[in-house]
Amino acid sequence: MKIGIYCRDFRGANGMTKATVLTARAFLKQGHRAEILAERAESSRRLVSLFGTAAGGLAVRKAGKNVSGLTAGYDLFINQLPGAYFPSFAKRNWLWFHAAPLDRPRHLGFYRILANSRYTRERLRARWGVPAEVLYPPAATADFPPLKKERVILSVGTFGGKARPKNELAMIRLFRDLHARGDLKDWTYHLAGELEGGPAWLGKLKAAAGKAPVSIHVGAGLALMRRLYGRAAILWHACGAEPDGPCPPEGREHFGLALVEGMAAGCVVLAPNAGGPREIISQGRGGRLYSSWEKLGRWTIDLSKDGSSLRRQSRLARKRSRNWNLVRFDGRLRELVAAKVKK
């Protein structure tokens, strides 16, 4: 088959762009022809710098404004952006939701509907009455082997975003306070990912850290991410854990690929007890789901003082991450391609 995968924005390595690259790679390995379409073209060299050898041989084709007009040239077209509503005229058409949209989806009759998690599927049904099948994003778990663990806490995400805030400012303040009290005096905190908030937001994050050992890595490539994941003992995640009150359903993490990558590297994950992380983390088996900032701080302190528990949880995290590896994803893709859709 000739397959086109549409991801409008390819400016950095985030959950959707990673899913795009790894999905294209999976189809290529199955013997299909696959190409990526986006608003602007990207070279194979840049893709490899962001995503590693999995992106070798891939390039991003500039789709222009009339994406719908290109779809007829494919046997299978996969549209991933819930805000990019247009008819698709390929022989087979999938619309893969990575979050439930605030606006009512259009042109759904052209597509087979997929969701990136059970949570996203539930939100699509509850908000818009749209049924969907689950296709979890692939995780290149082999790209993130554990290294010698250090007293490092890591957070990964797109910082300064408004749609689903990662609450990085609140996490920095929490670490700063725990470090100042002496609870985490020998630990360091690293944040890595893309920056949407601009220089002003980055300056605010650095100011909040004060004299605490906090490092912020903007636009980190694969080589740096391997080192950070590999060295970090604990991974903090706070999307959906609003510091000032309950988080609305649309603001919660709908899956959480960074959690799986961290677990593959042996990070013990602490994440909110809401949204997609509930599907990834089994309580006490490689991570914990917290319901308050007080619990996040207390559980972090407990782990920092119990090396044997930290090592045991690290092993369990690595084992559980395999549920979302490329082998599992390949099998699920084959199931979806082979399945006949009921009309």
Side-chain angles (χ1 to χ4, degrees), residues 186-256:
D186 297 324
W187 287 69
T188 60
Y189 183 35
H190 292 254
L191 300 95
E194 301 302 314
L195 180 69
E196 284 189 2
W201 183 248
L202 181 60
K204 188 172 183 177
L205 296 179
K206 291 180 176 178
K211 296 182 179 180
V214 175
S215 299
I216 303 173
H217 310 273
V218 176
L222 181 62
L224 177 55
M225 291 309 306
R226 281 174 173 157
R227 292 197 297 272
L228 291 172
Y229 276 132
R231 291 169 48 220
I234 297 171
L235 189 140
W236 276 1
H237 193 73
C239 181
E242 293 298 326
D244 301 319
C247 177
E250 60 270 16
R252 297 170 185 168
E253 190 69 82
H254 282 56
F255 179 61

XYZ file of all heavy atoms in Angstrom, residues 186-256:
526
model
N 20.768 16.650 47.940
C 21.783 16.099 47.042
C 21.223 15.776 45.657
O 21.901 15.124 44.860
C 22.398 14.830 47.649
C 23.138 15.112 48.947
O 23.763 16.179 49.044
O 23.067 14.273 49.867
N 20.023 16.233 45.372
C 19.366 15.916 44.111
C 19.369 17.125 43.173
O 19.477 18.273 43.615
C 17.916 15.475 44.355
C 17.816 14.102 44.956
C 18.194 13.729 46.222
C 17.335 12.928 44.314
N 17.966 12.388 46.414
C 17.436 11.856 45.252
C 16.814 12.651 43.051
C 17.049 10.560 44.964
C 16.418 11.355 42.757
C 16.544 10.324 43.707
N 19.254 16.853 41.877
C 19.101 17.903 40.881
C 17.827 17.644 40.086
O 17.331 16.517 40.024
C 20.303 17.951 39.914
O 20.408 16.687 39.227
C 21.596 18.225 40.672
N 17.324 18.720 39.480
C 16.076 18.625 38.719
C 16.317 19.128 37.302
O 16.861 20.221 37.096
C 14.993 19.459 39.400
C 13.619 19.403 38.748
C 13.149 18.239 38.147
C 12.789 20.523 38.749
C 11.898 18.194 37.563
C 11.523 20.474 38.178
C 11.087 19.311 37.577
O 9.846 19.260 37.000
N 15.943 18.304 36.310
C 16.106 18.654 34.901
C 14.748 18.656 34.218
O 13.927 17.761 34.449
C 17.017 17.649 34.199
C 18.446 17.708 34.660
N 19.454 18.257 33.900
C 19.022 17.285 35.817
C 20.596 18.163 34.554
N 20.366 17.579 35.718
N 14.526 19.648 33.373
C 13.334 19.705 32.529
C 13.808 19.748 31.084
O 14.729 20.501 30.746
C 12.487 20.941 32.826
C 11.956 21.068 34.265
C 12.896 21.930 35.091
C 10.548 21.666 34.288
N 13.197 18.948 30.223
C 13.631 18.867 28.831
C 12.434 18.805 27.903
O 11.451 18.106 28.191
C 14.514 17.634 28.619
N 12.500 19.526 26.787
C 11.430 19.480 25.804
C 11.374 20.738 24.968
O 12.305 21.535 24.948
N 10.251 20.909 24.295
C 10.048 22.079 23.451
C 9.471 23.224 24.285
O 8.865 23.009 25.337
C 9.102 21.743 22.302
C 9.588 20.610 21.403
C 10.937 20.893 20.782
O 11.133 22.018 20.281
O 11.789 19.986 20.787
N 9.686 24.448 23.794
C 9.216 25.635 24.506
C 8.216 26.384 23.650
O 8.542 26.858 22.563
C 10.404 26.540 24.852
C 10.070 27.840 25.602
C 9.592 27.526 27.020
C 11.288 28.757 25.638
N 6.976 26.501 24.132
C 5.952 27.277 23.435
C 5.787 28.663 24.045
O 5.280 29.564 23.400
C 4.605 26.543 23.469
C 4.503 25.371 22.508
C 3.086 24.818 22.415
O 2.184 25.374 23.076
O 2.884 23.838 21.684
N 6.206 28.817 25.289
C 5.948 30.066 25.995
C 6.882 31.208 25.655
O 6.651 32.344 26.082
N 7.949 30.953 24.889
C 8.856 32.015 24.487
C 9.862 32.377 25.559
O 9.854 31.847 26.675
N 10.766 33.324 25.245
C 11.830 33.713 26.185
C 11.321 34.214 27.530
O 11.945 33.979 28.563
C 12.571 34.820 25.423
C 12.260 34.573 23.979
C 10.874 34.014 23.955
N 10.193 34.924 27.517
C 9.664 35.460 28.775
C 9.288 34.328 29.734
O 9.556 34.398 30.937
C 8.455 36.349 28.503
N 8.666 33.275 29.175
C 8.289 32.142 30.023
C 9.518 31.402 30.526
O 9.583 31.000 31.693
C 7.367 31.196 29.258
C 6.877 30.038 30.080
C 7.184 28.726 29.923
C 6.009 30.097 31.213
N 6.564 27.941 30.873
C 5.832 28.766 31.679
C 5.352 31.139 31.872
C 5.029 28.467 32.782
C 4.548 30.831 32.977
C 4.402 29.511 33.408
N 10.499 31.235 29.667
C 11.738 30.584 30.085
C 12.405 31.374 31.198
O 12.896 30.795 32.182
C 12.684 30.451 28.887
C 14.031 29.765 29.153
C 13.830 28.336 29.649
C 14.878 29.761 27.882
N 12.401 32.694 31.088
C 12.970 33.527 32.140
C 12.222 33.376 33.456
O 12.835 33.365 34.530
N 10.903 33.241 33.371
C 10.107 33.068 34.592
C 10.427 31.742 35.263
O 10.517 31.659 36.504
C 8.622 33.143 34.247
C 7.707 33.161 35.466
C 6.259 33.438 35.062
C 5.362 33.536 36.296
N 3.965 33.878 35.926
N 10.635 30.685 34.461
C 10.980 29.377 35.016
C 12.333 29.430 35.716
O 12.505 28.904 36.830
C 11.005 28.320 33.907
C 9.682 28.027 33.193
C 9.901 26.970 32.108
C 8.606 27.578 34.174
N 13.306 30.070 35.075
C 14.635 30.166 35.671
C 14.613 30.992 36.948
O 15.295 30.655 37.931
C 15.621 30.765 34.659
C 15.919 29.850 33.481
C 16.895 30.491 32.511
C 17.260 29.531 31.380
N 18.193 30.161 30.395
N 13.813 32.062 36.944
C 13.708 32.886 38.147
C 13.081 32.103 39.294
O 13.483 32.248 40.462
C 12.902 34.142 37.842
N 12.095 31.275 38.977
C 11.423 30.487 40.019
C 12.373 29.490 40.668
O 12.238 29.171 41.844
C 10.228 29.755 39.428
N 13.330 28.988 39.918
C 14.273 28.009 40.454
C 15.188 28.625 41.496
O 15.661 27.929 42.412
C 15.098 27.408 39.322
N 15.444 29.913 41.384
C 16.343 30.556 42.336
C 17.728 29.928 42.298
O 18.307 29.730 41.236
N 18.233 29.570 43.470
C 19.565 28.963 43.574
C 19.515 27.437 43.575
O 20.550 26.784 43.708
C 20.263 29.463 44.830
C 20.548 30.967 44.815
C 21.292 31.398 46.076
C 21.594 32.890 46.031
N 22.324 33.338 47.256
N 18.325 26.871 43.406
C 18.209 25.409 43.395
C 18.857 24.849 42.131
O 18.869 25.504 41.089
C 16.736 25.004 43.455
N 19.393 23.634 42.197
C 20.048 23.027 41.020
C 19.034 22.525 39.999
O 18.729 21.333 39.917
C 20.856 21.884 41.630
C 20.103 21.504 42.869
C 19.520 22.781 43.391
N 18.499 23.467 39.211
C 17.502 23.176 38.192
C 18.092 23.510 36.831
O 18.626 24.612 36.637
C 16.213 23.988 38.417
C 15.226 23.771 37.269
C 15.578 23.629 39.751
N 18.006 22.576 35.883
C 18.494 22.782 34.518
C 17.340 22.603 33.546
O 16.569 21.644 33.667
C 19.608 21.789 34.179
O 20.718 21.950 35.047
N 17.223 23.521 32.581
C 16.160 23.469 31.584
C 16.797 23.297 30.213
O 17.621 24.113 29.796
C 15.300 24.746 31.622
C 14.717 24.939 33.024
C 14.183 24.671 30.584
C 13.993 26.262 33.220
N 16.425 22.217 29.521
C 17.008 21.879 28.230
C 15.941 22.065 27.141
O 15.047 21.238 26.994
C 17.504 20.435 28.227
C 18.373 20.084 29.403
N 19.739 20.289 29.407
C 18.053 19.567 30.624
C 20.244 19.883 30.568
N 19.238 19.447 31.324
N 16.043 23.155 26.393
C 15.063 23.466 25.357
C 15.499 22.842 24.030
O 16.644 22.989 23.614
C 14.893 24.988 25.202
C 13.936 25.310 24.050
C 14.383 25.595 26.505
N 14.581 22.139 23.368
C 14.883 21.530 22.080
C 15.898 20.405 22.165
O 16.693 20.205 21.246
N 15.852 19.649 23.249
C 16.825 18.564 23.446
C 16.682 17.513 22.357
O 15.590 17.041 22.069
C 16.630 17.931 24.822
N 17.798 17.140 21.745
C 17.808 16.086 20.737
C 17.834 14.713 21.369
O 17.895 14.559 22.589
N 17.830 13.696 20.522
C 17.746 12.327 21.007
C 18.935 11.944 21.882
O 18.762 11.279 22.902
C 17.633 11.361 19.824
C 17.518 9.880 20.182
C 16.264 9.600 20.996
C 17.516 9.021 18.909
N 20.143 12.369 21.507
C 21.332 11.993 22.276
C 21.240 12.504 23.714
O 21.538 11.768 24.670
C 22.586 12.526 21.598
N 20.813 13.756 23.879
C 20.676 14.308 25.223
C 19.543 13.626 25.972
O 19.663 13.340 27.171
C 20.435 15.808 25.152
C 20.200 16.525 26.487
C 21.350 16.264 27.461
C 20.002 18.025 26.278
N 18.431 13.355 25.291
C 17.321 12.704 25.971
C 17.712 11.314 26.461
O 17.283 10.890 27.542
C 16.104 12.605 25.042
C 15.452 13.946 24.726
S 15.073 14.945 26.194
C 14.093 13.804 27.166
N 18.517 10.602 25.709
C 18.993 9.296 26.175
C 19.769 9.437 27.481
O 19.607 8.641 28.410
C 19.872 8.651 25.113
C 19.116 8.006 23.973
C 20.064 7.527 22.897
N 19.374 6.772 21.871
C 19.821 6.618 20.638
N 20.978 7.166 20.269
N 19.131 5.914 19.762
N 20.630 10.443 27.557
C 21.416 10.635 28.777
C 20.533 11.035 29.950
O 20.706 10.538 31.070
C 22.491 11.704 28.546
C 23.583 11.287 27.572
C 24.807 12.182 27.680
N 24.512 13.563 27.336
C 24.571 14.071 26.103
N 24.876 13.271 25.078
N 24.309 15.346 25.874
N 19.581 11.936 29.697
C 18.717 12.400 30.782
C 17.821 11.279 31.303
O 17.720 11.059 32.519
C 17.872 13.580 30.300
C 18.633 14.879 30.023
C 17.709 15.907 29.375
C 19.235 15.439 31.306
N 17.139 10.584 30.400
C 16.311 9.457 30.819
C 17.169 8.391 31.512
O 16.776 7.826 32.539
C 15.627 8.818 29.608
C 14.346 9.461 29.139
C 14.154 9.742 27.781
C 13.300 9.750 30.014
C 12.961 10.295 27.319
C 12.118 10.309 29.564
C 11.947 10.581 28.217
O 10.770 11.127 27.769
N 18.318 8.103 30.930
C 19.155 7.035 31.471
C 19.668 7.324 32.857
O 19.768 6.421 33.690
N 20.002 8.589 33.142
C 20.566 8.949 34.444
C 19.505 9.209 35.505
O 19.767 9.055 36.699
C 21.428 10.199 34.295
C 22.715 10.000 33.511
C 23.346 11.349 33.185
N 23.404 12.201 34.375
C 23.160 13.515 34.366
N 22.799 14.119 33.246
N 23.259 14.219 35.484
N 18.328 9.651 35.089
C 17.302 10.057 36.052
C 16.762 8.859 36.821
O 16.461 7.813 36.236
C 16.162 10.779 35.340
N 16.616 9.036 38.118
C 16.032 7.988 38.955
C 14.520 8.125 39.048
O 13.801 7.128 39.164
C 16.648 8.038 40.348
N 14.025 9.369 38.986
C 12.603 9.651 39.162
C 12.148 10.567 38.032
O 12.874 11.491 37.636
C 12.326 10.320 40.529
C 12.704 9.377 41.682
C 10.871 10.753 40.652
C 12.664 10.043 43.051
N 10.946 10.309 37.517
C 10.355 11.188 36.514
C 9.087 11.796 37.093
O 8.180 11.076 37.517
C 10.036 10.418 35.233
C 9.612 11.292 34.034
C 10.219 10.773 32.741
C 8.082 11.345 33.898
N 9.060 13.122 37.122
C 7.864 13.847 37.554
C 7.035 14.224 36.335
O 7.562 14.711 35.337
C 8.247 15.142 38.259
C 8.570 15.032 39.710
C 8.585 13.896 40.468
C 8.937 16.119 40.576
N 8.938 14.207 41.761
C 9.159 15.555 41.856
C 9.104 17.482 40.398
C 9.536 16.322 42.952
C 9.476 18.261 41.484
C 9.687 17.687 42.744
N 5.726 14.036 36.451
C 4.791 14.460 35.406
C 3.631 15.148 36.104
O 3.145 14.658 37.131
C 4.298 13.252 34.609
C 3.596 13.623 33.345
N 4.252 14.105 32.238
C 2.279 13.579 33.002
C 3.381 14.335 31.262
N 2.181 14.025 31.701
N 3.187 16.294 35.567
C 2.145 17.044 36.270
C 1.055 17.580 35.358
O 0.258 18.406 35.793
C 2.766 18.194 37.064
N 0.997 17.136 34.106
C -0.109 17.547 33.247
C -1.404 16.979 33.814
O -1.533 15.769 34.009
C 0.117 17.027 31.829
S -1.177 17.491 30.667
N -2.346 17.857 34.114
C -3.590 17.427 34.742
C -3.605 17.617 36.244
O -4.619 17.361 36.888
N -2.489 18.076 36.816
C -2.407 18.319 38.262
C -2.344 19.812 38.500
O -1.294 20.363 38.834
C -1.181 17.626 38.856
N -3.446 20.488 38.284
C -3.453 21.938 38.415
C -3.171 22.346 39.859
O -3.767 21.803 40.795
C -4.808 22.504 37.980
C -5.095 22.335 36.505
C -4.105 23.071 35.633
O -3.634 24.145 36.022
O -3.797 22.555 34.551
N -2.271 23.324 40.071
C -1.941 23.735 41.446
C -3.032 24.547 42.120
O -3.051 24.651 43.347
C -0.668 24.573 41.248
C -0.748 25.065 39.842
C -1.448 23.992 39.062
N -3.963 25.122 41.335
C -4.945 26.041 41.912
C -6.379 25.512 41.882
O -7.322 26.273 42.062
C -4.892 27.385 41.177
C -3.519 28.024 41.255
O -2.911 27.964 42.335
O -3.055 28.550 40.234
N -6.551 24.225 41.649
C -7.899 23.684 41.633
C -8.029 22.528 40.669
O -7.059 22.137 40.021
N -9.237 21.952 40.556
C -9.443 20.794 39.680
C -9.121 21.119 38.223
O -9.370 22.222 37.746
C -10.929 20.483 39.865
C -11.310 21.130 41.155
C -10.455 22.342 41.274
N -8.598 20.137 37.531
C -8.263 20.297 36.115
C -9.436 19.817 35.262
O -9.971 18.731 35.494
C -7.006 19.487 35.788
S -6.527 19.542 34.047
N -9.852 20.594 34.260
C -10.937 20.131 33.386
C -10.472 18.926 32.570
O -9.267 18.748 32.340
C -11.202 21.341 32.485
C -9.933 22.123 32.513
C -9.357 21.926 33.873
N -11.388 18.080 32.131
C -11.001 16.860 31.402
C -10.108 17.113 30.203
O -9.190 16.353 29.941
C -12.349 16.261 30.986
C -13.330 16.781 31.980
C -12.857 18.150 32.336
N -10.367 18.217 29.468
C -9.570 18.472 28.268
C -8.134 18.886 28.594
O -7.245 18.836 27.742
C -10.236 19.546 27.392
C -10.422 20.884 28.076
C -11.747 21.010 28.795
O -12.407 19.975 29.027
O -12.119 22.152 29.128
N -7.872 19.289 29.848
C -6.532 19.703 30.239
C -5.666 18.569 30.752
O -4.473 18.774 31.037
N -6.241 17.385 30.872
C -5.474 16.245 31.373
C -4.655 15.595 30.266
O -4.964 15.752 29.089
C -6.431 15.213 31.989
C -7.194 15.750 33.190
C -8.305 14.817 33.631
N -9.088 15.417 34.709
C -10.253 14.953 35.150
N -10.771 13.868 34.572
N -10.882 15.555 36.128
N -3.619 14.893 30.676
C -2.812 14.156 29.696
C -3.671 13.053 29.103
O -4.267 12.266 29.824
C -1.592 13.541 30.384
C -0.578 12.962 29.426
C 0.138 14.037 28.631
O 1.088 14.631 29.139
O -0.291 14.266 27.474
N -3.724 13.004 27.756
C -4.575 12.013 27.117
C -3.867 10.677 26.919
O -4.510 9.646 26.772
C -5.110 12.553 25.793
C -6.253 13.510 25.960
N -6.173 14.650 26.731
C -7.523 13.494 25.475
C -7.330 15.288 26.704
N -8.167 14.601 25.964
N -2.557 10.685 26.880
C -1.784 9.435 26.929
C -0.561 9.642 27.814
O -0.608 9.396 28.990
C -1.397 8.948 25.535
C -0.578 7.665 25.574
C -1.106 6.504 26.131
C 0.722 7.626 25.092
C -0.350 5.340 26.202
C 1.482 6.467 25.141
C 0.940 5.321 25.709
N 0.555 10.100 27.271
C 1.752 10.341 28.068
C 2.940 9.527 27.602
O 3.462 8.694 28.356
